[in-house]
Amino acid sequence: MATIDGLPPLREVINTHDLVAKKQLGQNFLLDLNLTAKIARCAGDLSACDVLEIGPGPGGLTRGLLVEGARRVLAIEKDPRCMPALDEIAAAYPGRLQALNADALEVDVMAHLTPPVRVVANLPYNVGTELLIRWLTPQIWPPFWQSLTLMFQKEVAERIVAKPRSDHYGRLALLAQWRCDAKIVMHLPPEAFTPAPKVHSAVVHLTRLPAPRFPADEAILQRLTAMGFNQRRKMLRSSLKGIGPQIEAQLLEAGIPPTARAEEISLEKFCALSLIVARG
Ligand code: SAM
């Protein structure tokens, strides 16, 4: 059957290169090129951007990104078995795909990318959250990327976009929403992948803000949210006791009842509290 890019269907690619999925590498492949092109479109206009893709596998999403007009794609794949398949795609799109066989946690990506950069990936579950936290906490803001369009298991996606008083609200929501707009743009059932995972998945699109949404002391904000959410059922006057003897007065000054729990507190209030605590 003809494909949208004239390259062989992904099932054939997988058979040709004997890419039996490895669980320890989080390999659940997307084989429907119409679906991968749709994910690529969720990232916005790619024609003037370099795209960083982590974990291209046999290249389904990579091909979607190229079909949708990405200026250049840097694809970092840990599994050396996938490289011949990626080389075939690179040959079909001269100068537009650089495939690196490396661990994404080890690569200095900016040595290979030209801004503006968008990140688009069906992330391996074992390193997905770690990569997201790295991308959200660079030393300098704004970061190297303009947007992140990332597939996660649905539960992680819900933690990123969660609002106060919901079960999924916590540190990841605060970290992401402090400096980004974040929304879920697509839901995928297990059958969309080969092999099918046990869980549902969702694509989250995060757009960086030029500056954090509210002024805050970053280190103290991290500490407050870690302490508050590590004991999320406790009242803040108790979970934040370690901050110091004035914590009750500081909570009141920030407009937070000391009897409230972390999951009830908005990002804005957490940021205000961080500044009050920083002032001492
Ligand atoms: N993008 C492909 C797709 O959508 O069909 C594959 C996605 S699969 C969920 C995750 C991919 O990440 C696998 O190909 C796996 O080998 C790769 N991977 C796992 N750990 C990695 C790491 N640390 N660095 C780079 N790639 C990694």
Side-chain angles (χ1 to χ4, degrees), residues 25-30 53 55-57 76-78 102-104 122 124:
L25 284 172
Q27 291 184 335
N28 300 98
F29 301 131
L30 290 167
E53 185 193 0
I76 304 176
E77 173 55 58
K78 190 170 176 181
D103 183 335
N122 175 10

Side-chain angles (χ1 to χ4, degrees), residues 4 47 63 100 110 115 126 128 162 207 225-226 248 280:
I4 54 176
S47 62
R63 287 165 64 176
L100 285 184
M110 282 321 285
N126 50 343
T207 317
T225 55
E248 284 215 32

